[in-house]
């Protein structure tokens, strides 16, 4: 299955992007294909002017359309998700996440704004008609130290949360694949069949 890692931090290096990459590496273990999309790399003027004819924006929107699951990561900015992530989400059609699984995650400077994911980002994602928005993962930047040689070293509690989130997404991707296989095996028009009593 195709999983898109959608990064909403304007910074580089980015703790959020590192967390997304870690999640992507875990998802690749059972064989899922991951693609990367960092909003910061899209052309800024086209993004702000919602220029859907811009080739880079069109490609990014196609990446979303082709994904079976989207892992959306954002830093907490001013008690909400980042502005550049919103500029991109605003370009998606009203049902831009239809049929997809979504795993939201965020990093923040403190625990104080951990609910930002649920009161700010989740309603926006839910409005795009996804199949399911999974429970969010939140970590402070202090819980995600970076070692130049060993990479991201999540604190134990966050490591466990990442494991649980990835396991749930893998499980739901499996269910989605099974659901699609059943749908594909049904004869055309089977959903219209009605039984008429003799
Ligand atoms: C402009 C700005 C606003 C921020 N606002 C908040 C905030 O309201 N609450 C919070 O917990 N952290 C806040 N932070 C801290 C970032 O969320 C935190 O450092 C995050 O891990 C950065 O992720 P990144 O490296 O992926 O950009 C803010 C940081 C910046 C630069």
């Amino acid at each position: 299955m195709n999983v898109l890692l959608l990064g909403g931090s304007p910074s580089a290096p980015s703790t959020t992007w590192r967390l997304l990459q870690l999640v992507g590496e875990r998802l690749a273990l059972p064989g899922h294909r991951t693609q990367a999309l960092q909003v910061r790399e899209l052309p800024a003027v086209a993004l702000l002017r919602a220029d859907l004819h811009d080739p880079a924006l069109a490609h990014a929107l196609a990446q979303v359309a082709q994904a079976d699951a989207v892992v959306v990561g954002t830093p907490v900015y001013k008690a909400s998700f980042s502005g550049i992530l919103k500029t991109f989400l605003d370009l998606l059609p009203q049902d831009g996440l239809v049929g997809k699984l979504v795993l939201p995650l965020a990093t923040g400077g403190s625990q104080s704004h951990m609910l930002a994911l649920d009161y700010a980002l989740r309603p926006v994602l839910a409005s795009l008609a996804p199949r399911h928005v999974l429970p969010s993962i939140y970590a402070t930047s202090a819980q995600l130290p970076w070692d130049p040689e060993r990479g991201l070293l999540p604190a134990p509690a966050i490591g466990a949360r990442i494991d649980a989130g990835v396991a749930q997404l893998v499980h739901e991707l499996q269910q989605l694949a099974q659901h699609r296989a059943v749908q594909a095996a049904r004869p055309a028009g089977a959903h219209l069949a009605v039984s008429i009593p003799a």
Side-chain angles (χ1 to χ4, degrees), residues 46-70:
L47 193 62
L48 288 177
R49 293 184 177 171
D51 177 7
L52 301 181
H53 298 296
D54 179 272
L57 273 196
H59 176 70
L61 294 170
Q63 282 184 291
V64 176
Q66 287 155 16
D68 300 301
V70 184

Side-chain angles (χ1 to χ4, degrees), residues 107-180:
T107 71
S110 78
Q111 296 285 359
S112 311
H113 289 142
M114 70 181 299
L115 288 179
L117 267 175
D118 289 326
Y119 66 67
L121 182 57
R122 183 173 289 272
V124 175
L125 298 172
S127 79
L128 296 164
R131 176 179 169 91
H132 185 193
V133 183
L134 278 67
S136 315
I137 299 175
Y138 183 85
T140 63
S141 25
Q143 290 172 314
L144 295 168
W146 175 257
D147 182 283
E149 282 165 15
R150 292 188 293 161
L152 197 65
L153 300 171
I158 299 305
R161 183 70 203 89
I162 294 168
D163 290 346
V166 168
Q168 187 173 0
L169 182 53
V170 168
H171 174 70
E172 298 218 13
L173 280 165
Q174 204 173 6
Q175 288 193 323
L176 180 57
Q178 283 168 358
H179 172 76
R180 289 195 186 150

Side-chain angles (χ1 to χ4, degrees), residues 10 15 20 23 35 63 81 154 176 184 187 190 194-195 198:
T15 302
L20 276 165
V23 169
Q35 285 198 55
Q63 282 184 291
F81 59 103
L176 180 57
V194 287
S195 67

Side-chain angles (χ1 to χ4, degrees), residues 9-11 13-17 75-79 107-110 113 138 141:
S9 174
S11 305
S14 157
T15 302
T16 311
W17 185 245
V76 175
Y77 274 8
K78 306 289 187 281
T107 71
S110 78
H113 289 142
Y138 183 85
S141 25

